[in-house]
């Protein structure tokens, strides 16, 4: 069962608020989650942000490479 976009935003915002307060445990949807480090919490926020962007239809970025030569 997929999580809808509104719930993803709510979860991300709760994590951001907890991180700003220096709290490492969060109650989300009746489930308590405890993070071991700030880096782990930052990774969870980044993951939720990516899922939200995907749900909004935002595609990934494109990387292009330019090559040059001497014309020989």
């Amino acid at each position: 069962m997929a999580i809808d976009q509104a719930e993803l935003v709510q979860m991300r915002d709760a994590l951001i608020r907890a991180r700003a307060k220096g709290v490492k445990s969060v109650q989300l949807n009746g489930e308590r989650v405890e993070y071991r480090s700030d880096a782990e919490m930052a990774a969870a926020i980044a993951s939720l942000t990516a899922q939200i962007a995907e749900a909004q239809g935002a595609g990934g970025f494109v990387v292009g490479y330019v090559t040059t030569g001497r014309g020989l």
Side-chain angles (χ1 to χ4, degrees):
M1 181 171 144
I3 300 173
D4 67 347
Q5 182 179 347
E7 191 173 352
L8 289 171
V9 170
Q10 181 183 17
M11 292 167 64
R12 182 197 59 192
D13 291 348
L15 281 175
I16 290 170
R17 280 192 299 275
R19 185 176 181 212
K21 293 177 184 177
V23 177
K24 290 188 178 177
S25 63
V26 181
Q27 183 99 11
L28 297 171
N29 301 328
E31 188 175 329
R32 182 180 165 96
V33 180
E34 188 163 340
Y35 296 92
R36 296 178 198 184
S37 66
D38 183 65
E40 190 176 65
M41 190 175 252
I45 292 169
S47 175
L48 285 168
T49 301
Q51 290 177 47
I52 292 165
E54 185 178 316
Q56 291 175 338
F61 58 90
V62 177
V63 176
Y65 295 96
V66 178
T67 57
T68 60
R70 294 176 73 179
L72 301 174

